[in-house]
């Protein structure tokens, strides 16, 4: 069985979309894959309750309990490794990861970023796209490398930027696309790795 571990920090709507797609599209039968665990760096992340309600194991590794980024990442890796992951999915996980963590999961660590990378890495992507006068915005799923919001692009989706958009309206249009794109990108990754194995 290919175990997928999802890391979240907040609402977990992308995680929920992935969980829904895994059931609807029978990832277990088609790819031998399952969502093994959802792990958060925040105990109050709303997504944790949602994961539990789907019978998914959850864990919390509070970053504030650790003296350094390195120490947090060691503890996080222990929690992740407890589920022998084939794929680690960052879904609104709002911590910068150390090179040691990224290297440990090289080729099996992916992220979603709400911009059309390589444009607008980092925070406040929607406001920055509006301020730049962009006519389109969007979302990117990419492999994680040591450089923040870089790494090989797996898939993207585009939305229009409308004349009256403010950050919140653009964010919600992009988020609707995120919920389509992330499950699709993971499904493609699973299909690809399944074809290498057989
Ligand atoms: C998403 O827009 C994601 O791309 C960004 O943070 C948001 C998380 O939303 N990094 P959710 O927790 O999946 O609802």
């Amino acid at each position: 069985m290919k175990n997928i571990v999802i890391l979240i920090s907040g609402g977990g709507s992308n995680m929920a979309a992935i969980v829904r797609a895994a059931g609807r599209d029978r990832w277990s039968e088609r790819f031998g894959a399952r969502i093994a665990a959802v792990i958060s760096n925040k105990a109050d992340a709303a997504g944790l309750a949602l994961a539990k309600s789907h019978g998914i194991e959850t864990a919390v590794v509070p970053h504030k309990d650790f003296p350094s980024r390195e120490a947090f990442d060691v503890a996080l890796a222990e929690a992740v490794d407890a589920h022998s992951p084939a794929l680690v999915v960052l879904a609104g996980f709002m911590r910068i990861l150390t090179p040691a963590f990224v290297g440990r999961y090289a080729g099996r660590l992916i992220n979603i970023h709400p911009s059309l990378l390589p444009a607008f890495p980092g925070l406040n992507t929607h406001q920055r796209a509006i301020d730049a006068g962009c006519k389109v915005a969007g979302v990117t799923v990419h492999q994680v490398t040591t450089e923040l919001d870089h790494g090989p692009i797996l898939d993207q989706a585009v939305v229009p930027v409308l004349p009256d958009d403010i950050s919140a309206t653009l964010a919600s249009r992009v988020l609707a696309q995120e919920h389509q794109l992330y499950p699709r990108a993971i499904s493609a990754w699973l299909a690809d790795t399944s074809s290498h194995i057989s």
Side-chain angles (χ1 to χ4, degrees):
M1 185 60 76
K2 285 183 202 147
N3 284 344
I4 300 170
V5 172
I6 305 179
L7 305 189
I8 65 167
S9 297
S13 70
N14 276 291
M15 177 271 295
I18 294 164
V19 168
R20 273 198 306 275
R24 182 193 64 217
D25 299 338
R26 300 178 293 106
W27 287 2
S28 168
E29 291 158 52
R30 287 169 60 208
F31 309 124
R34 67 181 187 119
I35 315 297
V38 171
I39 300 174
S40 173
N41 63 310
K42 290 187 167 185
D44 61 356
L48 288 170
L50 201 95
K52 277 185 198 149
S53 75
H54 279 90
I56 297 168
E57 257 190 71
T58 61
V60 178
V61 184
H63 62 273
K64 288 187 174 155
D65 288 2
F66 297 89
S68 65
R69 207 176 275 287
E70 286 72 21
F72 168 68
D73 276 10
V74 168
L76 182 65
E78 270 173 27
V80 170
D81 287 349
H83 301 280
S84 308
L87 181 66
V88 180
V89 173
L90 307 181
F93 185 69
M94 303 304 281
R95 299 292 302 168
I96 293 174
L97 295 163
T98 56
F101 187 96
V102 171
R104 185 181 191 88
Y105 303 105
R108 54 189 174 120
L109 179 60
I110 64 175
N111 182 43
I112 191 161
H113 182 74
S115 79
L116 292 172
L117 291 174
F120 309 125
L123 297 174
N124 302 321
T125 55
H126 307 300
Q127 190 59 52
R128 287 158 68 204
I130 291 168
D131 291 346
C134 294
K135 301 300 176 203
V136 295
V139 53
T140 303
V141 174
H142 65 99
Q143 291 203 33
V144 176
T145 58
T146 49
E147 201 179 345
L148 181 70
D149 296 330
H150 280 69
I153 291 171
L154 297 175
D155 207 347
Q156 293 182 306
V158 177
V159 302
V161 179
L162 301 179
D164 292 339
D165 265 337
I166 58 172
S167 179
T169 54
L170 179 56
S172 83
R173 191 175 310 118
V174 170
L175 191 61
Q177 286 303 311
E178 294 186 37
H179 297 161
Q180 307 291 320
L181 183 74
Y182 218 174
R184 191 170 83 211
I186 294 169
S187 180
W189 188 93
L190 291 168
D192 192 45
T193 53
S194 303
S195 70
H196 292 319
I197 289 164
S198 57

